[in-house]
Amino acid sequence: MARSTEGEEGAASTGTRPFWEAVAQGAVDVAVRTYEALARSQRDTVLEEAPRAALTARATLVEVLRRARDFAGAARVLEADGGAFTVAQLYEQAGALLQAAEAWLRAGERARAAVAFERGGALERALALYQALDAREATARCLTRLNRPLEAAAVYRELGNGHAELEVLRAVAPGLPERREAVLRMSALLDAQGDSWRALVLLTDTLQAPGFREDGALQAEHARLLRHLGLDAGPGVEPAREPPPPDGYEYLKAIPLFGELSLEDMKDLYRVARPVQFARGDTVLEKGAPGSGLLVLLEGTVDVLGGAEPGARLLNTLGPGAFIGEVSLILDGDTSAHVLARSEVRALRVTRADFQHYLDTHEAAALRILRLFTEKLAERVRALSA
């Protein structure tokens, strides 16, 4: 092997000598092809030999490894020479998320480290960082995944996100001591959302369970709801029963893009959604603006127009259960139509940023969603080409 840099000859074993010779000569293309042809054990040997190579050889080696797409190998070589920021990026490219997280910490990037820990399943590490950063939405998300629903609910309550708070409280199973607190809060949330009947059913079921039958707070809330619904008016008086407002779960579940999600993945996606409201005449989506994500209509109707100008052509009118903007969850692009609220509208929104994080932390769901999206896109292309 050529002696163009000190230490290279001693670094190479017989099986890796041709590769190191290409590196020493700066023949990057040759080195890439040689590295790709090596057996896994030989590639491991190269990485073990790298610390004994000279600095210039290691720099060439990193370039070779990146072009051969051995991103973890490139990160491993670079770690000895510093450069934590680049090391973290390389580990992320390799899918080595815990190593990436540690590198992000060394680079002083605590927010990125927290995300990498969460994606890598190190939820306690991620939680500690999110709490230190006062990233409350992310803190609640981690607490939920750690099966600490009351703590997560408290954070969502501080954020004013009653939708997510209600969903995480549902995870407190009957029979647990925490169930009492969860039921009282769920009842208040359901009542505030106009779903007092469901709140009453929840309280009735809870009061029938052992350990809760004589609970004063539960009984008081139960009595309040009876009065609120007119059920204490005496025999023969039938109160008017308003249908509960749709919560959106069934509508979200019916969207074809989510047709293969498991129950737990579907519940997690539903918790990511945020309730939004529009007054009559409000702009729901602006044509030409960056896509803002998915919007699922719960109540009210919207007009889909060809543009924002007066007299723009009406393309469609959509009502409860309809959804718009699903493509922007995955593809960047501007909104292709202008959408106005024809009446007061209540909806659920899943933003692109929240959805991308959901994909990052739900690998099986991501594969199913992206496969269905690709199939749908291919069908559209075939239809346009026909």
Side-chain angles (χ1 to χ4, degrees), residues 311-329:
R313 185 164 65 97
L314 177 65
L315 302 177
N316 205 350
T317 297
L318 302 174
F323 56 93
I324 47 181
E326 74 278 13
V327 173
S328 69
L329 289 175

mmCIF file of all heavy atoms in Angstrom, residues 311-329:
data_model
loop_
_atom_site.group_PDB
_atom_site.id
_atom_site.type_symbol
_atom_site.label_atom_id
_atom_site.label_comp_id
_atom_site.label_asym_id
_atom_site.label_seq_id
_atom_site.Cartn_x
_atom_site.Cartn_y
_atom_site.Cartn_z
ATOM 1 N N GLY A 311 -67.163 36.794 -7.319
ATOM 2 C CA GLY A 311 -67.724 36.104 -8.469
ATOM 3 C C GLY A 311 -66.966 34.878 -8.901
ATOM 4 O O GLY A 311 -67.246 34.315 -9.967
ATOM 5 N N ALA A 312 -66.010 34.426 -8.095
ATOM 6 C CA ALA A 312 -65.253 33.215 -8.434
ATOM 7 C C ALA A 312 -66.187 32.023 -8.539
ATOM 8 O O ALA A 312 -67.194 31.936 -7.824
ATOM 9 C CB ALA A 312 -64.177 32.962 -7.391
ATOM 10 N N ARG A 313 -65.858 31.088 -9.422
ATOM 11 C CA ARG A 313 -66.737 29.948 -9.688
ATOM 12 C C ARG A 313 -66.840 29.041 -8.460
ATOM 13 O O ARG A 313 -65.833 28.707 -7.830
ATOM 14 C CB ARG A 313 -66.195 29.163 -10.881
ATOM 15 C CG ARG A 313 -67.111 28.018 -11.330
ATOM 16 C CD ARG A 313 -66.729 27.557 -12.720
ATOM 17 N NE ARG A 313 -65.393 26.971 -12.736
ATOM 18 C CZ ARG A 313 -65.146 25.665 -12.667
ATOM 19 N NH1 ARG A 313 -66.169 24.815 -12.556
ATOM 20 N NH2 ARG A 313 -63.924 25.210 -12.720
ATOM 21 N N LEU A 314 -68.063 28.646 -8.138
ATOM 22 C CA LEU A 314 -68.300 27.709 -7.045
ATOM 23 C C LEU A 314 -68.009 26.296 -7.532
ATOM 24 O O LEU A 314 -68.653 25.803 -8.464
ATOM 25 C CB LEU A 314 -69.744 27.812 -6.559
ATOM 26 C CG LEU A 314 -70.175 26.829 -5.457
ATOM 27 C CD1 LEU A 314 -69.398 27.108 -4.169
ATOM 28 C CD2 LEU A 314 -71.678 26.919 -5.198
ATOM 29 N N LEU A 315 -67.041 25.640 -6.912
ATOM 30 C CA LEU A 315 -66.657 24.288 -7.323
ATOM 31 C C LEU A 315 -67.412 23.218 -6.548
ATOM 32 O O LEU A 315 -67.725 22.155 -7.091
ATOM 33 C CB LEU A 315 -65.148 24.098 -7.113
ATOM 34 C CG LEU A 315 -64.220 25.082 -7.837
ATOM 35 C CD1 LEU A 315 -62.776 24.809 -7.467
ATOM 36 C CD2 LEU A 315 -64.423 24.998 -9.349
ATOM 37 N N ASN A 316 -67.695 23.489 -5.279
ATOM 38 C CA ASN A 316 -68.341 22.469 -4.455
ATOM 39 C C ASN A 316 -68.791 23.100 -3.148
ATOM 40 O O ASN A 316 -68.288 24.151 -2.739
ATOM 41 C CB ASN A 316 -67.371 21.316 -4.172
ATOM 42 C CG ASN A 316 -68.075 20.009 -3.879
ATOM 43 O OD1 ASN A 316 -69.293 19.977 -3.711
ATOM 44 N ND2 ASN A 316 -67.314 18.931 -3.819
ATOM 45 N N THR A 317 -69.750 22.457 -2.501
ATOM 46 C CA THR A 317 -70.162 22.820 -1.152
ATOM 47 C C THR A 317 -70.036 21.565 -0.296
ATOM 48 O O THR A 317 -70.559 20.509 -0.654
ATOM 49 C CB THR A 317 -71.606 23.346 -1.115
ATOM 50 O OG1 THR A 317 -71.683 24.557 -1.897
ATOM 51 C CG2 THR A 317 -72.035 23.659 0.307
ATOM 52 N N LEU A 318 -69.331 21.684 0.819
ATOM 53 C CA LEU A 318 -69.029 20.522 1.653
ATOM 54 C C LEU A 318 -69.636 20.699 3.043
ATOM 55 O O LEU A 318 -69.704 21.816 3.565
ATOM 56 C CB LEU A 318 -67.515 20.341 1.779
ATOM 57 C CG LEU A 318 -66.735 20.174 0.464
ATOM 58 C CD1 LEU A 318 -65.248 20.149 0.748
ATOM 59 C CD2 LEU A 318 -67.173 18.914 -0.266
ATOM 60 N N GLY A 319 -70.042 19.567 3.629
ATOM 61 C CA GLY A 319 -70.637 19.589 4.956
ATOM 62 C C GLY A 319 -69.979 18.610 5.899
ATOM 63 O O GLY A 319 -68.871 18.117 5.629
ATOM 64 N N PRO A 320 -70.624 18.301 7.021
ATOM 65 C CA PRO A 320 -70.038 17.426 8.042
ATOM 66 C C PRO A 320 -69.545 16.096 7.470
ATOM 67 O O PRO A 320 -70.224 15.448 6.680
ATOM 68 C CB PRO A 320 -71.200 17.211 9.019
ATOM 69 C CG PRO A 320 -72.027 18.457 8.889
ATOM 70 C CD PRO A 320 -71.954 18.810 7.430
ATOM 71 N N GLY A 321 -68.342 15.708 7.894
ATOM 72 C CA GLY A 321 -67.715 14.475 7.423
ATOM 73 C C GLY A 321 -66.785 14.681 6.262
ATOM 74 O O GLY A 321 -65.927 13.833 5.992
ATOM 75 N N ALA A 322 -66.932 15.802 5.551
ATOM 76 C CA ALA A 322 -66.029 16.078 4.431
ATOM 77 C C ALA A 322 -64.660 16.497 4.956
ATOM 78 O O ALA A 322 -64.526 16.975 6.084
ATOM 79 C CB ALA A 322 -66.608 17.175 3.547
ATOM 80 N N PHE A 323 -63.643 16.320 4.136
ATOM 81 C CA PHE A 323 -62.288 16.707 4.539
ATOM 82 C C PHE A 323 -61.578 17.344 3.355
ATOM 83 O O PHE A 323 -61.838 17.023 2.193
ATOM 84 C CB PHE A 323 -61.504 15.493 5.057
ATOM 85 C CG PHE A 323 -61.430 14.348 4.087
ATOM 86 C CD1 PHE A 323 -60.357 14.228 3.203
ATOM 87 C CD2 PHE A 323 -62.432 13.390 4.033
ATOM 88 C CE1 PHE A 323 -60.279 13.176 2.298
ATOM 89 C CE2 PHE A 323 -62.364 12.333 3.138
ATOM 90 C CZ PHE A 323 -61.288 12.223 2.272
ATOM 91 N N ILE A 324 -60.687 18.267 3.664
ATOM 92 C CA ILE A 324 -59.923 18.981 2.650
ATOM 93 C C ILE A 324 -58.490 19.141 3.130
ATOM 94 O O ILE A 324 -58.221 19.180 4.332
ATOM 95 C CB ILE A 324 -60.529 20.373 2.351
ATOM 96 C CG1 ILE A 324 -60.836 21.122 3.655
ATOM 97 C CG2 ILE A 324 -61.770 20.259 1.492
ATOM 98 C CD1 ILE A 324 -61.459 22.490 3.455
ATOM 99 N N GLY A 325 -57.567 19.193 2.177
ATOM 100 C CA GLY A 325 -56.169 19.486 2.493
ATOM 101 C C GLY A 325 -55.333 18.287 2.865
ATOM 102 O O GLY A 325 -54.199 18.452 3.329
ATOM 103 N N GLU A 326 -55.817 17.046 2.638
ATOM 104 C CA GLU A 326 -55.056 15.886 3.094
ATOM 105 C C GLU A 326 -53.728 15.736 2.361
ATOM 106 O O GLU A 326 -52.752 15.235 2.915
ATOM 107 C CB GLU A 326 -55.891 14.600 2.964
ATOM 108 C CG GLU A 326 -56.079 14.054 1.566
ATOM 109 C CD GLU A 326 -57.185 14.730 0.788
ATOM 110 O OE1 GLU A 326 -57.660 15.802 1.223
ATOM 111 O OE2 GLU A 326 -57.571 14.203 -0.257
ATOM 112 N N VAL A 327 -53.656 16.194 1.104
ATOM 113 C CA VAL A 327 -52.411 16.064 0.347
ATOM 114 C C VAL A 327 -51.303 16.898 0.991
ATOM 115 O O VAL A 327 -50.134 16.504 1.001
ATOM 116 C CB VAL A 327 -52.630 16.469 -1.117
ATOM 117 C CG1 VAL A 327 -51.302 16.509 -1.881
ATOM 118 C CG2 VAL A 327 -53.582 15.490 -1.804
ATOM 119 N N SER A 328 -51.671 18.044 1.562
ATOM 120 C CA SER A 328 -50.660 18.924 2.164
ATOM 121 C C SER A 328 -50.054 18.339 3.430
ATOM 122 O O SER A 328 -49.064 18.862 3.943
ATOM 123 C CB SER A 328 -51.268 20.302 2.471
ATOM 124 O OG SER A 328 -52.216 20.220 3.516
ATOM 125 N N LEU A 329 -50.636 17.254 3.956
ATOM 126 C CA LEU A 329 -50.004 16.580 5.092
ATOM 127 C C LEU A 329 -48.666 15.977 4.710
ATOM 128 O O LEU A 329 -47.752 15.860 5.528
ATOM 129 C CB LEU A 329 -50.915 15.460 5.616
ATOM 130 C CG LEU A 329 -52.185 15.880 6.348
ATOM 131 C CD1 LEU A 329 -53.016 14.647 6.671
ATOM 132 C CD2 LEU A 329 -51.864 16.665 7.614
#
